[in-house]
Amino acid sequence: MKRLFVILSFFSALACAQVDQPKLVVGIVVDQMRFDYINRYWDDYSEGGFKRLISEGYNCTNAHFNYIPTYTGPGHASIYSGATPSSHGIISNYWYDREVEEYSYCVSDAEMNTVGAENGSGKMSPSKMLNTTFGDELRLFSMNRSKVIAVALKDRSAVLPAGHMGNFAFWLESETGDFVSSSYYGPRLPKWVQKFNKKDVCEGYLSHKWELLLPSKRYDESLNDNSAYEEAFAGEKYPKFPHDLPSLIEHNGKGLIKGTPFGNSLTKDMAIAAIEGENLGEDSFTDLLAVSFSSTDYVGHQFGTDAKEIQDTYLRLDRDLESFLSYLDENIGKENVLIFLTSDHGAVRTPAYLKDRNIPAGYFEAEEPIRELKQFLQNIYGFGDWVKTYGDAQIFLNRELIFEKYLSLEEVQQQTADFMLRFDGVQKAVTGRTLENNEFEAGILACLQKGFNQKRSADVFLVLDPAWIEYSHTGTTHGSGYTYDRHVPLIWYGWNIKAGSTSEKVGITDIASTVSSLLGISFPNGSEANIISIPLSE
Ligand code: ZN
Ligand code: ZN
Ligand code: ZN
């Protein structure tokens, strides 16, 4: 009997590839998760969520984004491609397209049609991303036998992780509360998605009030509720608990769920439905499920980093992770699933709050400075519309006019940069030419350079002082090259990963090459090929 077992295991070993691969890779991206949310809320987490990932997994406590701007589109593209915007081309969520002279969205694609709704919400594809992802490399490696599925509330957080060869990406459509997709992946929604949509899961979550999960005294890591730094929901008098979701639907539509922790619960339900509907992790070809939890971002933008709402959202996400992990245990087995959990960027503590605590912070309002810049350029170069547009701290000059007048682009860029330095809150103003002609090793200039795509990016880049943002005085945002936006969690868990941690500095762009190396497949084509050394069991 023993010999038979040995022979059988010999043959089953032969059937596998040379590298012992997990059956399923699950990439979890928590939108706008600052690193400190793990430690701040530690005592209120369950045993089976974040605590379990950290105690049984490998925790990289010093993981950073290495480019500007730290937004969702570039974040997801960088995590899955192992490259930065200078190479993968997703330079922001929206950017000014010089050719068509208007803003273009990072995953919009006019050639595509919506699958699952009667509107434009599915006219999306990854066509603007110039690199492969590790999901693409996995599909190429396995001759398409590996499956790649992505699930998120936001379209960009599903489309970019699914890569160019993903089988399907699904995201939430705000009007109907259904998950939809693009004709890029197929002509209709798979049956299991149609079935999931019919269950009205979204409506179920919106049929009760959002109350605190734990007794309110447990929320002593947050400010008192109804502070001056929070924004109420439309239709609500004060930004405080309980939030009466059923009555708020009228003013906000079903998209309301995104701004509550239940958007994450819905995402988890859909992720489990995807595993079952697509039979992920069943055969010997490694599959990828990319899941993005984005309610954390909506809640952070609206209530800020110190509100009870954001703490409650993390405590509830922790419970969702707990149930997701036990689902994977029971149905696929921890030893067959490789999980990484990270974030697409962090966030700054609400500057108005920081100012009230004597920490330098502020709000940059660009309208007047840009008006003065236009006047200044006219004084030098004569009448003309010298500035095309300003957005995300980037100035696009009117290159046609500059070339038409035989002016030096470099000189106009430099005049613009020098002028913008006179305004409060502007710490640096850097020209595109500077980024083209130098090689920056570290610091903010290196981050700007890694975010700079010579063809798509602007002419002049503003770097604001720390904790200065362009935003409303309630809630918060992200996008800078400061550590509060760059430092995020990175935890590896399951499969052969041994428990442990490292405080060695690692880059977010190391995730894709590390996954590729663990799977024994090629690196994504633009990746920097740095591998994080994670201890594995024999
Ligand atoms: Zn984000
Ligand atoms: Zn509140
Ligand atoms: Zn955001």
Side-chain angles (χ1 to χ4, degrees), residues 145-164:
R145 285 174 286 198
S146 292
K147 275 192 171 177
V148 172
I149 301 285
V151 171
L153 294 178
K154 296 179 179 175
D155 45 28
R156 57 187 177 279
S157 311
V159 170
L160 296 167
H164 303 277

Side-chain angles (χ1 to χ4, degrees), residues 71-85:
Y71 290 127
T72 299
H76 284 78
S78 301
I79 290 166
Y80 285 87
S81 74
T84 66

Side-chain angles (χ1 to χ4, degrees), residues 153-358:
L153 294 178
K154 296 179 179 175
D155 45 28
R156 57 187 177 279
S157 311
V159 170
L160 296 167
H164 303 277
M165 291 179 66
N167 298 72
F168 251 109
F170 306 104
W171 56 92
L172 189 76
E173 207 288 303
S174 294
E175 284 169 34
T176 58
D178 286 344
F179 279 89
V180 297
S181 191
S182 159
S183 57
Y184 179 80
Y185 306 99
R188 67 190 68 83
L189 288 178
K191 283 245 159 54
W192 67 266
V193 182
Q194 298 178 22
K195 234 168 95 189
F196 183 88
N197 285 339
K198 281 210 184 91
K199 285 199 264 177
D200 293 337
V201 185
C202 177
E203 287 82 343
Y205 282 120
L206 290 174
S207 66
H208 55 79
K209 289 183 180 171
W210 175 13
E211 316 234 22
L212 289 173
L213 177 71
L214 301 179
S216 82
K217 64 174 190 310
R218 295 284 298 274
Y219 292 73
D220 54 354
E221 296 82 7
S222 299
L223 294 171
N224 285 335
D225 202 4
N226 199 13
S227 80
Y229 316 113
E230 307 171 65
E231 182 75 39
F233 285 108
E236 194 179 52
K237 208 157 178 204
Y238 303 105
K240 67 183 181 93
F241 283 98
H243 297 282
D244 187 13
L245 304 181
S247 78
L248 291 174
I249 295 183
E250 196 189 319
H251 299 87
N252 300 271
K254 289 180 189 167
L256 172 67
I257 198 169
K258 296 186 199 171
T260 76
F262 311 110
N264 289 334
S265 309
L266 176 63
T267 308
K268 178 214 64 178
D269 297 340
M270 180 63 178
I272 290 176
I275 292 172
E276 295 184 346
E278 299 287 340
N279 304 315
L280 300 181
E282 274 197 1
D283 59 25
S284 59
F285 299 98
T286 306
D287 298 321
L288 166 64
L289 175 66
V291 187
S292 193
F293 291 108
S294 276
S295 288
T296 41
D297 182 67
Y298 292 100
V299 175
H301 279 296
Q302 185 176 343
F303 297 94
T305 54
D306 295 277
K308 287 190 165 57
E309 279 81 354
I310 198 76
Q311 181 167 0
D312 196 65
T313 300
Y314 277 96
L315 301 191
R316 289 178 185 274
L317 172 63
D318 177 64
R319 273 60 174 183
D320 282 326
L321 288 173
E322 180 175 39
S323 92
F324 189 47
L325 293 179
S326 20
Y327 172 85
L328 293 171
D329 275 351
E330 284 158 28
N331 293 278
I332 307 181
K334 184 186 165 190
E335 68 287 0
N336 294 317
V337 185
L338 168 66
I339 295 180
F340 68 84
L341 181 145
T342 189
S343 176
D344 56 345
H345 51 77
V348 64
R349 289 187 119 125
T350 308
Y353 167 67
L354 292 177
K355 273 169 86 165
D356 290 345
R357 297 290 173 281
N358 289 335

